[in-house]
Amino acid sequence: MFPMVQSEFHIIEARRANIRPKLYLLFVLFFALVILIVFAIIVGAYELNLKTIIRALIGLEEGHAEVIVWGIRMPRITAAIITGCGLGLAGMGTQSLLRNPLASPFTLGISQGAAFGAALSIVALGAGAMRGSALRTADAGSFNIFNIYAVTFFAFLGSITATVVILLLARIKKLSPESIILAGVALSSIFTSGTILIQYFATETEIASVVFWTFGDVARSNWIEIGVLSIVTLLVLAYFMYNRWNLNAVSAGDDTAKGLGVETGRLRLAGMFLAALVSALATAFHGVIAFLGLLAPHIARRLTGADHGLLIPYSCIIGSILLLAADTLGRILIGSGSLPVGVLTSFMGAPLFLYLLMKGLNK
Amino acid sequence: MKLNVAGIKFSYNHFPVLDDVSFSLEPGRILGVLGVNGAGKTTILKCLNRILTPGTGSVYIDGREVRHMHRNAIAKYFGYVPQRSPDSLLTVFDSVLLGRRPYIKWNATKKDLLIVEDILRQLGCAHLSQRVTSELSGGELQKVIIARALAQEPKVLLLDEPTSSLDLKNQLQVMNIIKNAVHNYNLSAVVSMHDINLALRFADSFLMLKDGNVRFLSGKSELSPDVIEEVYGVKVIINQVNDYQIIIPYE
């Protein structure tokens, strides 16, 4: 329909030149993550040299080295990478779908909803004690697949409840971005109160584990949980990547997106559902990890702009780096398994949240 | 490719906004949609490409009823330019490339990129291609959004007050872009407008709405001061200056 004008292709070339450094930076970030992983394996209370670690990684070491590398450090590192990736993805998804820079699983109350659901299933329904790293002694070996399903299911119910409320408010009441976050605060408050109420009726051991859990910690999951979270995170990643053009279109407004052929209602519903699912699993296995879902996509947007083709992988990899770095820092500061990573991510994320809130309100 | 609209009715929460709107439009023609604020101008545009689904009535394009078409297929017929667009951090190129979304399967092809490049050149926006859209002036942004609608390779352009926040020079530039696109590619354009004189200058025919009803549907020559008074509630005279008809309110 449009006759092609003869040109020297320099506009397309300019676009390529604009994208190229962003792709390079993505590789640099990936490389940084790999270095961080190596560092995280080496660092710890039990000293291992690089040669022993490499031998243990490829299965040539037995005894202490093997237990420490494969039984303790690798699960923890993998959990941090996948959880960081999943929360970065969920944060990116909620921010883009709601066109709200303050949105994330934590600020919308989705994570707290998941925590409430999980706590309810553990204490009230007796789905099993939580395996906090500090409490990893007696029941560490006893693993019950039913408990995982029950805890995960209830965590998901909690998170989806919060998501539905947020979606209804966004759609029916057409609340401003700031008001949506206030609704998220209210939801968080309700769910947190609920979690406290559950603790009131819990035994001392259960209280200890619930309290410990609310901080968020990546050291408590086992390989099966990590596997489940990995599969779901990859599926959600695939969904968002498949819909990256649609997400770009939604950023131009709902009417424009519809005019470009996007089924906005279906996209928002499915995307928020998947973001809630990842948050629910991450929370069920690792507790509430505050602000990571807010922080990662914001850093990603600063580095790469608004094109979801790059924004999605950036959000994932930055989420992984942040969570693994925070967890490793926590291990260095206090010693293995003692400082829950959720505390550190709160320290990182809360100032950014306040900054964004002030910037938004000053508009 | 003819656009036929038959008996469109639309209500927001039981409050009727459009009542029995019908018209048809030939390719190569611009229809100006006029009326006071709240008359239903935006609503009728959105009903045409099913951003809003009308309660009753039908829209036909190329003999197909829009109600039964997939949204992606509609996007290949109708290019839509909204009244307001939110700030975006997408580059100008990527914003216009979004217009290719109905055609893109997994990745943009070379053809998609070439179409975007071509449109940016035609609209004089080539130098802006790597700028972020939130940094553009009002006139530049409007051209980029029209470029995006053109990248859809539509048969019909729907433009909701495309000149409302622009200065005089940009108003004329934007309307000329629309006029050229309509003539060069044999498109139809439905343009809602506030500036009745600008509409007189660029539109071939007029749809005048009042309280959701069609009060006038015809060409330039039939437009009379009485019709304008009925629709806007203002007494006017219509004068001829050089080649242009102009409307002057005197009340």
Side-chain angles (χ1 to χ4, degrees):
Chain A
M1 175 181 171
F2 289 93
M4 297 297 170
V5 173
Q6 277 306 87
S7 65
E8 316 90 60
F9 303 115
H10 78 256
I11 299 180
I12 296 175
E13 216 21 77
R15 177 171 181 262
R16 279 204 198 105
N18 192 359
I19 292 174
R20 215 172 287 128
K22 293 173 183 172
L23 282 173
Y24 291 154
L25 183 58
L26 191 61
F27 284 116
V28 170
L29 287 171
F30 185 76
F31 191 63
L33 179 62
V34 172
I35 291 176
L36 190 59
I37 292 169
V38 174
F39 180 70
I41 302 176
I42 296 171
V43 170
Y46 193 96
E47 282 187 27
L48 290 170
N49 62 39
L50 196 59
K51 190 182 161 196
T52 318
I53 286 168
I54 292 168
R55 282 174 60 82
L57 278 175
I58 54 178
L60 295 176
E61 283 284 333
E62 283 177 7
H64 284 309
E66 195 226 345
V67 171
I68 286 164
V69 171
W70 279 113
I72 298 173
R73 289 188 195 164
M74 278 310 281
R76 182 173 187 151
I77 290 166
T78 318
I81 292 169
I82 294 299
T83 307
C85 173
L87 289 175
L89 202 56
M92 183 284 308
T94 49
Q95 283 171 19
S96 296
L97 290 166
L98 298 176
R99 278 198 302 280
N100 187 338
L102 297 165
S104 75
F106 183 73
T107 50
L108 295 176
I110 295 172
S111 298
Q112 292 84 341
F116 171 74
L120 187 73
S121 74
I122 287 158
V123 177
L125 305 173
M130 271 173 276
R131 297 167 304 281
S133 60
L135 307 154
R136 231 183 210 288
T137 47
D139 73 325
S142 65
F143 168 70
N144 186 339
I145 194 84
F146 164 76
N147 291 350
I148 286 205
Y149 285 136
V151 174
T152 308
F153 177 72
F154 278 91
F156 185 59
L157 275 190
S159 70
I160 212 73
T161 307
T163 309
V164 167
V165 173
I166 293 292
L167 278 175
L168 285 177
L169 288 172
R171 193 188 170 105
I172 297 170
K173 288 287 168 193
K174 304 215 184 306
L175 293 185
S176 69
E178 283 89 359
S179 307
I180 289 283
I181 298 306
L182 286 178
V185 170
L187 280 175
S188 304
S189 173
I190 292 169
F191 284 125
T192 309
S193 307
T195 310
I196 292 169
L197 190 69
I198 290 168
Q199 289 171 43
Y200 186 78
F201 294 106
T203 64
E204 275 179 32
T205 321
E206 286 166 342
I207 289 173
S209 53
V210 172
V211 168
F212 189 81
W213 191 33
T214 50
F215 290 129
D217 181 14
V218 289
R220 63 171 71 118
S221 53
N222 57 44
W223 282 114
I224 292 178
E225 290 164 327
I226 292 168
V228 171
L229 185 58
S230 303
I231 291 166
V232 171
T233 302
L234 282 176
L235 288 176
V236 176
L237 174 63
Y239 176 83
F240 280 132
M241 276 309 277
Y242 181 74
N243 280 291
R244 64 194 189 281
W245 294 98
N246 294 342
L247 290 168
N248 283 349
V250 165
S251 75
D254 268 23
D255 288 346
T256 300
K258 281 182 187 169
L260 291 167
V262 181
E263 296 283 0
T264 51
R266 201 184 296 165
L267 177 75
R268 184 162 291 129
L269 213 59
M272 289 296 289
F273 176 85
L274 291 174
L277 178 65
V278 173
S279 313
L281 287 175
T283 310
F285 300 153
H286 302 126
V288 178
I289 294 168
F291 289 116
L292 192 81
L294 181 80
L295 208 54
H298 267 284
I299 296 173
R301 268 199 184 83
R302 278 283 162 95
L303 293 176
T304 186
D307 176 23
H308 284 78
L310 286 166
L311 183 61
I312 295 168
Y314 263 76
S315 299
C316 289
I317 209 154
I318 290 170
S320 297
I321 289 175
L322 284 179
L323 194 56
L324 183 56
D327 186 52
T328 310
L329 185 67
R331 278 165 55 200
I332 294 171
L333 288 178
I334 311 270
S336 182
S338 298
L339 187 61
V341 70
V343 179
L344 275 165
T345 58
S346 282
F347 277 123
M348 293 194 295
L352 173 83
F353 182 70
L354 289 173
Y355 167 74
L356 289 172
L357 200 58
M358 284 192 297
K359 210 174 111 188
L361 290 173
N362 285 341
K363 257 185 203 165
Chain B
M1 208 161 287
K2 197 170 173 177
L3 173 71
N4 275 312
V5 178
I8 294 283
K9 289 187 184 185
F10 186 86
S11 305
Y12 281 113
N13 300 326
H14 307 295
F15 181 77
V17 181
L18 294 176
D19 187 22
D20 200 17
V21 176
S22 303
F23 63 89
S24 63
L25 188 61
E26 298 285 342
R29 312 282 285 175
I30 298 175
L31 176 74
V33 180
L34 299 171
V36 295
N37 290 326
K41 301 191 295 293
T42 298
T43 308
I44 183 66
L45 284 183
K46 288 185 183 177
C47 283
L48 297 183
N49 68 340
R50 224 180 68 204
I51 290 173
L52 297 172
T53 307
T56 54
S58 303
V59 178
Y60 296 93
I61 179 78
D62 198 14
R64 298 174 69 187
E65 192 176 354
V66 169
R67 191 185 290 274
H68 302 307
M69 285 163 73
H70 193 272
R71 202 176 278 293
N72 205 57
I74 299 173
K76 292 179 182 176
Y77 282 101
F78 293 90
Y80 174 71
V81 174
Q83 209 174 110
R84 272 180 292 274
S85 297
D87 272 356
S88 167
L89 290 176
L90 282 178
T91 61
V92 166
F93 192 101
D94 287 351
S95 287
V96 178
L97 187 59
L98 266 184
R100 301 301 299 163
R101 198 224 72 103
Y103 303 90
I104 292 171
K105 296 277 185 277
W106 173 253
N107 238 338
T109 62
K110 186 151 191 192
K111 185 189 170 198
D112 296 318
L113 300 179
L114 285 170
I115 286 173
V116 172
E117 180 182 30
D118 188 42
I119 291 169
L120 284 174
R121 281 188 199 286
Q122 287 185 36
L123 269 55
C125 297
H127 62 293
L128 301 172
S129 78
Q130 293 312 309
R131 290 262 299 276
V132 172
T133 48
S134 58
E135 295 169 358
L136 301 180
S137 71
E140 290 167 338
L141 182 64
Q142 195 62 299
K143 284 177 209 164
V144 168
I145 291 166
I146 292 170
R148 179 171 66 209
L150 288 174
Q152 287 174 251
E153 294 185 302
K155 306 289 180 275
V156 181
L157 276 177
L158 307 173
L159 303 116
D160 197 357
E161 294 182 23
T163 56
S164 61
S165 58
L166 303 183
D167 60 48
L168 189 61
K169 187 180 173 192
N170 274 306
Q171 285 182 13
L172 291 174
Q173 275 187 358
V174 161
M175 287 313 295
N176 274 316
I177 286 170
I178 294 164
K179 189 178 166 186
N180 290 338
V182 164
H183 291 162
N184 294 345
Y185 307 127
N186 205 28
L187 312 178
S188 312
V190 184
V191 189
S192 81
M193 293 178 90
H194 267 308
D195 187 334
I196 193 165
N197 282 313
L198 205 60
L200 266 176
R201 182 165 173 154
F202 287 96
D204 302 297
S205 54
F206 301 92
L207 176 75
M208 290 200 159
L209 294 171
K210 191 180 182 190
D211 304 328
N213 288 296
V214 178
R215 289 299 159 96
F216 177 80
L217 175 64
S218 195
K220 220 176 280 193
S221 50
E222 286 92 63
L223 199 62
S224 69
D226 291 344
V227 172
I228 292 167
E229 187 183 345
E230 193 200 336
V231 172
Y232 287 96
V234 176
K235 287 191 187 305
V236 299
I237 48 171
I238 301 180
N239 263 354
Q240 188 81 20
V241 177
N242 297 336
D243 288 339
Y244 303 111
Q245 272 186 324
I246 50 169
I247 288 173
I248 304 161
Y250 65 89
E251 201 175 52

